[in-house]
Amino acid sequence: MNYRHAYHAGNFADVVKHVVLTRLLEYLKQKDKAFRVIDTHAGIGRYDLSSTEAQKTGEWQGGIGRLIGVNLDAKAAALLAPYLEAVRALNPDGGPDGGIKKYPGSPLIARHLLRKQDRLTAIELHPDDANRLKAVFAGDFQARVIELDGWLALGAQLPPKEKRGLVLIDPPFEAVGEFDRLVDGLVKAHKRWPGGIYALWYPIKDRKAVIAFRKALKQTGIPKLLDIEFEIRPASSEPSLDGSGMVVVNPPFTLEGELRLLLPALHRLLVVGRPADWSLRWLAGEAG
């Protein structure tokens, strides 16, 4: 599996991740006070779905491609609207069929939803990708791109001066030990900023590793951990991305109810093989 995100942009995992991201941001916008978004593994920000990489896998067709132009229940459609608006904003000439040519990464989606008082810090380690992201946000005083290891940013960038906000931790899982880094990184970040919202993305490929990851999170004693699991196919005989998950720390009180409306609708559109399902479970409640 090639881990360069250009091959996977807009796939089912991106859809679920970015829908959750938009719901978290919409909640933060309910108060006038400014907030900060910190994206620790930001990527290049904008992905061309007609590129050789995207066309080679075609994964976006089983993700965002299945959502464009689909009629959903009114409540689900309203919750999904900020996400789809961010995608369409990047595709003003999408055509009458609603087709899309480009897909926004998480920093661009976040930036689209910010108000004038809010700020984005986008962290990217790879020099070429960081330079491309800097070009995307050139002249934008609300967005700052830092070329840095995202794991180090969990110490160096927290807490933000706004004291409100969201940290998205979305590593590429191209190195051994990423699950351990997620747990260790969260522990370090939570000590510095216990009141922040954290969203930790993970792949569902190695089921035993996912189980161990959840167990390790429980053992941290950090309270308010909501685990979102979304599978599109049963476990494969060969390692493949059968699903993805997100753990949200300090989730808004509105999030669980919103996802219980959204996830069934998304699952009906994105599932490719059964048995496969989605779930919401609390790894830890108020008391940890």
Side-chain angles (χ1 to χ4, degrees):
M1 181 176 180
N2 192 308
Y3 289 92
R4 297 295 290 176
H5 198 66
Y7 289 89
H8 314 295
N11 69 0
F12 80 91
D14 260 4
V15 168
V16 176
K17 172 176 62 182
H18 291 150
V19 167
V20 174
L21 172 64
T22 59
R23 296 319 309 162
L24 294 172
L25 293 175
E26 288 300 293
Y27 174 80
L28 285 167
K29 288 161 63 176
Q30 291 180 15
K31 293 183 178 180
D32 290 337
K33 191 176 179 182
F35 64 82
R36 177 79 61 95
V37 178
I38 299 173
D39 190 338
T40 63
H41 298 76
I44 63 175
R46 182 188 295 129
Y47 298 90
D48 183 356
L49 299 181
S50 65
S51 69
T52 301
E53 295 90 345
Q55 291 294 316
K56 184 175 182 179
T57 64
E59 288 186 20
W60 68 272
Q61 296 174 10
I64 185 60
R66 295 190 179 187
L67 268 66
I68 298 297
V70 172
N71 291 322
L72 295 173
D73 167 83
K75 290 183 178 179
L79 293 172
L80 198 61
Y83 164 64
L84 292 179
E85 288 167 5
V87 175
R88 291 191 179 107
L90 199 58
N91 294 274
D93 302 318
D97 61 349
I100 59 172
K101 300 175 183 177
K102 294 182 173 62
Y103 187 80
S106 50
L108 215 57
I109 289 175
R111 178 63 186 92
H112 178 77
L113 294 175
L114 296 188
R115 306 160 303 177
K116 62 180 181 180
Q117 65 266 45
D118 307 319
R119 297 292 183 270
L120 166 69
T121 300
I123 313 293
E124 177 52 48
L125 174 62
H126 299 285
D128 290 344
D129 290 356
N131 286 333
R132 292 179 68 177
L133 191 59
K134 288 176 182 178
V136 169
F137 291 121
D140 187 342
F141 73 92
Q142 287 184 249
R144 182 187 180 197
V145 178
I146 303 174
E147 185 180 325
L148 180 70
D149 185 339
W151 300 115
L152 296 178
L154 293 174
Q157 300 298 318
L158 297 179
K161 66 178 183 179
E162 293 84 357
K163 299 296 189 286
R164 295 182 70 230
L166 164 68
V167 180
L168 175 63
I169 309 174
D170 175 24
F173 279 84
E174 61 188 0
V176 176
E178 293 286 60
F179 279 113
D180 293 335
R181 290 187 188 91
L182 266 180
V183 176
D184 294 343
L186 175 62
V187 169
K188 177 171 65 175
H190 193 267
K191 286 180 180 177
R192 294 182 64 90
W193 191 30
I197 299 173
Y198 299 86
L200 287 64
W201 182 88
Y202 63 89
I204 299 176
K205 292 176 66 178
D206 182 339
R207 307 296 176 114
K208 291 182 179 179
V210 171
I211 292 171
F213 169 60
R214 291 173 180 149
K215 181 179 180 181
L217 283 173
K218 291 179 182 180
Q219 292 174 341
T220 64
I222 294 173
K224 301 179 185 177
L225 304 176
L226 180 63
D227 184 34
I228 304 155
E229 182 179 18
F230 193 95
E231 297 179 343
I232 61 166
R233 64 174 69 89
S236 309
S237 56
E238 297 294 329
S240 67
L241 190 64
D242 301 323
S244 67
M246 288 190 82
V247 173
V248 181
V249 184
N250 295 323
F253 72 95
T254 54
L255 184 64
E256 183 178 5
E258 291 178 349
L259 293 181
R260 291 197 182 280
L261 280 171
L262 275 170
L263 293 180
L266 290 176
H267 198 259
R268 285 192 292 271
L269 291 171
L270 301 178
V271 68
V272 297
R274 297 185 186 276
D277 209 346
W278 63 271
S279 70
L280 288 172
R281 63 168 66 87
W282 287 91
L283 301 179
E286 292 285 347

